[in-house]
Amino acid sequence: MRFLLVEDNAELGDAVVAWLSMEGHAVDHALTLAEAHDWLAVAEYDLMLLDVMLPDGDGRSFLRETRTAERLPVIVLTARSQVADRVDTLDLGADDYLTKPFDFAELEARCRAVLRRRGTPAPVVIPLGSALFDPSSGTLTQDGESQRLRNRELRLLEVFARNKGQILSKSHLLDRLFSQDAEVTENAIEVYVGRLRRRLQQAGVQIETVRGVGYRMTAP
């Protein structure tokens, strides 16, 4: 998944980015509303985490703007714990809110819940040849033996598994796995694809290279 975090507290923002990145998600971090506008203009996100009090404006006004422009799911991060504040936030169109300070595991759980409600497919066991892939547990099971995937291997395999038969460009895969400011090249995708090929070899699953375009997963 790819997230946009709008949070002016650099320390908190870095911690959130680090946590979600460890879970294999791509996160872009905007410190101001102006930066958030810039990110939204150039990238596609699965969910936005939005602070309320920002240096250049009120996050609630920004929430109202985004609600008229697109259906991007939004979780508001706020230090305000009064019931009236929470009700106002939800009435403006937020999908959920989280009061600071919060636990990172709870944040990720709320992200999953919002995406389920918004119609993003919930993780289910996906058959891949003779293997079974479970995105929720991050495991690939074959012949009764399970192997746990590393975070970015997991996210990459989920992208392929949900788009079997489709050609996916390297740039698209980079966009799903890494934030915009991550210093990575398309070679990183080649490395992860190589790892997945070795894991899937016995299952009869192939990740084909489509020269000059990208990759395509085929499975019986």
Side-chain angles (χ1 to χ4, degrees), residues 191-202:
V191 171
Y192 287 116
V193 167
R195 292 177 182 174
L196 289 182
R197 281 172 170 161
R198 290 191 291 273
R199 290 185 182 276
L200 296 167
Q201 186 175 12
Q202 299 302 317

Side-chain angles (χ1 to χ4, degrees), residues 163-174:
N163 297 276
K164 281 186 288 187
Q166 298 183 35
I167 298 175
L168 304 174
S169 68
K170 290 182 180 179
S171 60
H172 174 76
L173 296 174
L174 275 174

Side-chain angles (χ1 to χ4, degrees), residues 7-15 29 31:
E7 168 62 61
D8 67 320
N9 184 315
E11 184 177 354
L12 175 59
D14 290 344
H29 181 197
L31 294 167

Side-chain angles (χ1 to χ4, degrees), residues 5-20 27 29-31 77 102 104:
L5 171 65
V6 188
E7 168 62 61
D8 67 320
N9 184 315
E11 184 177 354
L12 175 59
D14 290 344
V16 171
V17 170
W19 174 272
L20 292 175
V27 188
H29 181 197
L31 294 167
L77 308 178
F102 50 79
F104 293 147

Side-chain angles (χ1 to χ4, degrees), residues 9 45 108 123 140 144 169 175 190:
N9 184 315
Y45 296 97
E108 190 181 16
L140 187 67
S169 68
D175 187 64
E190 295 174 7

Side-chain angles (χ1 to χ4, degrees), residues 7-204:
E7 168 62 61
D8 67 320
N9 184 315
E11 184 177 354
L12 175 59
D14 290 344
V16 171
V17 170
W19 174 272
L20 292 175
S21 297
M22 281 194 304
E23 296 301 311
H25 302 291
V27 188
D28 292 321
H29 181 197
L31 294 167
T32 64
L33 294 177
E35 290 182 10
H37 276 293
D38 291 341
W39 283 122
L40 288 171
V42 299
E44 181 180 339
Y45 296 97
D46 297 293
L47 187 145
M48 178 165 60
L49 304 171
L50 177 64
D51 187 17
V52 172
M53 303 298 293
L54 292 154
D56 56 345
D58 191 328
R60 291 169 299 183
S61 299
F62 184 68
L63 172 63
R64 191 182 299 109
E65 293 174 22
T66 58
R67 275 293 162 266
T68 60
E70 54 186 304
R71 295 191 67 252
L72 175 66
V74 178
I75 296 178
V76 168
L77 308 178
T78 175
R80 299 173 176 176
S81 58
Q82 297 298 317
V83 173
D85 292 322
R86 288 181 252 168
V87 170
D88 288 345
T89 298
L90 294 172
D91 283 344
L92 285 172
D95 294 271
D96 200 356
Y97 64 87
L98 197 55
T99 303
K100 301 177 184 178
F102 50 79
D103 183 87
F104 293 147
E106 181 183 1
L107 171 62
E108 190 181 16
R110 286 177 180 263
C111 290
R112 291 194 300 267
V114 165
L115 291 171
R116 283 197 300 270
R117 293 198 300 268
R118 277 305 194 97
T120 300
V124 295
V125 176
I126 303 172
L128 295 175
S130 60
L132 293 174
F133 170 49
D134 185 349
S136 62
S137 65
T139 56
L140 187 67
T141 303
Q142 185 175 355
D143 298 328
E145 295 186 4
S146 296
Q147 50 182 322
R148 190 168 185 82
L149 303 176
R150 298 177 180 177
N151 290 328
R152 287 205 167 91
E153 290 179 10
L154 165 62
R155 302 305 171 194
L156 181 60
L157 181 55
E158 187 171 6
V159 173
F160 277 124
R162 297 196 185 283
N163 297 276
K164 281 186 288 187
Q166 298 183 35
I167 298 175
L168 304 174
S169 68
K170 290 182 180 179
S171 60
H172 174 76
L173 296 174
L174 275 174
D175 187 64
R176 304 313 298 167
L177 264 66
F178 298 96
S179 60
Q180 287 281 358
D181 57 356
E183 295 182 359
V184 294
T185 67
E186 293 183 351
N187 291 336
I189 296 299
E190 295 174 7
V191 171
Y192 287 116
V193 167
R195 292 177 182 174
L196 289 182
R197 281 172 170 161
R198 290 191 291 273
R199 290 185 182 276
L200 296 167
Q201 186 175 12
Q202 299 302 317

